[in-house]
Each structure stands twice: as C-alpha cells, then as structure tokens.
C-alpha cells in the first residue's frame, strides 16, 4: 500500500507507483505500508522512505532534481520488498541497505553524494530560418551549454547554412555563418526540461553569383538580437532530444542586388527560426 506526497513539479502518485512496479513485481501484492514523501528545502529536494512505519526501515535522499530523488526512492523501496529485509523484526536491516542518509561526526555532516548542481551539454541539430535569404536557409548547428540544474544556463550555438536561388542572371548562392549566445531560464516539469532564452547573434552572410556578368562575391555582417523557447526530453536521461523556436531582430539590414538593379533579397526586420536536434549531458 503506497502513501506518497510530493511538491508540484515532481512525479505524481501514479508515476511513482509505475516506477515501483517497473522495478519490483511484488509491489502490487505486498501488504506492507510504503510511505514516501518529498519536500523542497532551500534548493534541494529531500525525500524520505518508511516501510510498515518501522523506524529502522527509514531512508532519506537529498538531491538538486526531484526526478533523481524519485528514482532513488523507488529503487530502494523495490529492493527492500524483493529481498524481504524487514521480515525479521528482531534483526536490524543491513547497514548498507537501510540507514539514515546523514550522520554527524565531529560537527561535519556526511551522507550520500549530492546530485550534481552544475552540468554541461553538447548538442547537434538542424536549423531552418526564414528571411536570411530569399528562400528557407537550412543550417547545421552545434552547441555547448553550461547550466545550473533546474535554474538557469548559458548557451552557445554555432551554425553554417546555405541557400541557393535562381535569378535572371543565373544561380545565386547565399551562405550564413554565425553564432548565437543565450542566457536562459530552464525550469523542469516532470521529465520535461523547458527553456526561455534571451539571444544575441553575430556572424557573416556571403552571396555569390558566378554566372552573372560583372558580379563579385559580397560579404555582410550579420548582427541580431532575439529570444527563443524550447524543451528537452527526457530530462532524466544522459541523452535527449531538443526543439527550439525563436525570433530574431536583424540589427544590420542589408539589400543584396545584381547590376544594374536586380534585387535578390532585402533583410526583413524579423527573422523566425526553428531548431531540432539531440544532445548529451556531462555528467
């Protein structure tokens, strides 16, 4: 019988039961009372586990992410039920399996390792933007991020894109090489990581029309500011998928044309873009 309490943003009772059943098929058949509670104390999630209201069958887990605490408590409860560590009331459970999470020795608190507060990420993605060139600009993007788990992150994404278009004077090639720096808030809901970021972009656009008469390659500064929102899933896994949607305002707006006066493209004030990719977390 499971009794479960947790703050908003953590797994609900149905998810916790599913985690227990996935780790031990005896959970639904047991007559023991399983009490699991999670509280948000300062910046940490503190979870406690009690079985049959036995004070000796107590475990406390502390972590920066609620998801990590939920998984740890589900695993410990399942092991306790499978191994029947509490069947003999006169014998205390093994110290390595059931013990208080923290002890105080010499005024210094010790216990299980704390969940990582900081972590790095590397990503690879495909990006498409409108307004950078006459057609859709497709680009390959790579990124690196450093985040305070569940709070904020700094992100850097670099990309290389290309768009070919036709004109009255032949084929024209647009190339876009740039980088985006972002400062983001990244809350976590269940196993879904969210982000809302303010961005600054810098780079170069180049245009070449080799078939046009009296045409020379042109290079222009790309500078823009904007914002984007996105999500990552699953938050609890080392690898994840990501989706981002953003808008940028071009701070430098150029017009590309061929002699005598054939306009190829004029930069609009708003540039929409979408990014879809995958990444990996360290650790």
């Amino acid at each position: 019988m499971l009794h479960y309490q947790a703050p908003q943003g953590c797994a609900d009772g149905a998810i916790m039961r599913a985690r227990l059943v996935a780790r031990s098929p005896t959970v639904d058949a047991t007559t023991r009372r399983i009490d699991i509670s999670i509280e948000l104390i300062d910046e940490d999630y503190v979870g406690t586990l009690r079985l049959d209201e036995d004070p000796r069958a107590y475990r406390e887990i502390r972590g920066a992410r609620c998801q990590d605490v939920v998984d740890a408590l589900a695993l410990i409860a399942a092991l306790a039920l499978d191994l029947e560590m509490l069947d003999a009331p006169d014998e205390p459970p093994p110290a390595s399996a059931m013990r208080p999470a923290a002890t105080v020795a010499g005024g210094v608190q010790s216990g299980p390792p704390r969940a990582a507060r900081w972590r790095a990420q590397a990503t690879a993605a495909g990006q498409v933007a409108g307004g950078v060139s006459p057609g859709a600009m497709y680009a390959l993007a790579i990124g690196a991020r450093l985040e305070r788990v569940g709070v904020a992150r700094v992100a850097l994404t670099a990309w290389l894109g290309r768009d070919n278009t036709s004109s009255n004077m032949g084929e024209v090639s647009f190339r876009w090489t740039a980088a985006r720096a972002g400062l983001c808030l990244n809350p976590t809901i269940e196993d879904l990581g969210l982000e809302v970021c303010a961005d600054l972009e810098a780079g170069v656009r180049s245009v070449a029309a080799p078939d046009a008469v009296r045409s020379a390659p042109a290079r222009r500064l790309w500078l823009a500011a904007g914002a984007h929102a996105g999500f990552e899933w699953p938050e609890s896994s080392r690898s994840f998928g990501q989706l981002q949607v953003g808008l940028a305002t071009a701070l430098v707006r150029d017009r590309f044309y061929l002699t005598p006066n054939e306009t190829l493209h004029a930069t609009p004030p708003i540039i929409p873009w979408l990014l879809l990719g995958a990444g990996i977390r360290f650790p």
Side-chain angles (χ1 to χ4, degrees), residues 120-123 142-146 154-158:
Q121 299 179 7
T123 60
I142 58 172
R145 300 185 287 193
L146 179 65
V154 290
L156 179 64
T157 303

Side-chain angles (χ1 to χ4, degrees), residues 3 13 26 91 122 180 188:
H3 295 264
T26 65
E91 297 181 7
R180 178 187 304 116
T188 299

Side-chain angles (χ1 to χ4, degrees), residues 118-122 238 280-283:
W118 292 90
R119 65 183 177 188
Q121 299 179 7
R238 186 172 184 183
I280 188 168
R281 299 182 174 97
F282 306 94

Side-chain angles (χ1 to χ4, degrees), residues 16-38:
M16 172 56 83
R17 177 173 290 278
R19 299 281 169 83
L20 286 168
V21 172
R23 288 169 171 79
S24 171
T26 65
V27 170
D28 284 335
T30 186
T31 59
R32 292 179 176 147
R33 178 186 174 97
I34 307 169
D35 286 293
I36 296 177
S37 65
I38 301 175

Side-chain angles (χ1 to χ4, degrees), residues 2 6 10 38 55 58 60 80 106 129 181 183 207 211 251:
L2 174 64
C10 291
I38 301 175
Y58 172 82
E60 180 180 292
L183 180 60
V207 181
D211 299 330
L251 303 180

Side-chain angles (χ1 to χ4, degrees), residues 109-120:
Q109 188 175 23
S110 62
R114 296 168 65 91
R117 293 179 179 273
W118 292 90
R119 65 183 177 188

Side-chain angles (χ1 to χ4, degrees), residues 69-134:
V69 175
V70 167
D71 287 341
L73 291 174
L75 176 60
I76 294 168
L79 287 174
L81 293 172
D82 286 346
L83 299 177
E84 297 184 352
M85 291 188 295
L86 303 177
D87 278 351
D90 296 333
E91 297 181 7
S96 61
M98 285 288 184
R99 66 186 178 202
T103 59
V104 177
V108 179
Q109 188 175 23
S110 62
R114 296 168 65 91
R117 293 179 179 273
W118 292 90
R119 65 183 177 188
Q121 299 179 7
T123 60
Q127 177 175 285
V128 60
V132 180
S133 60

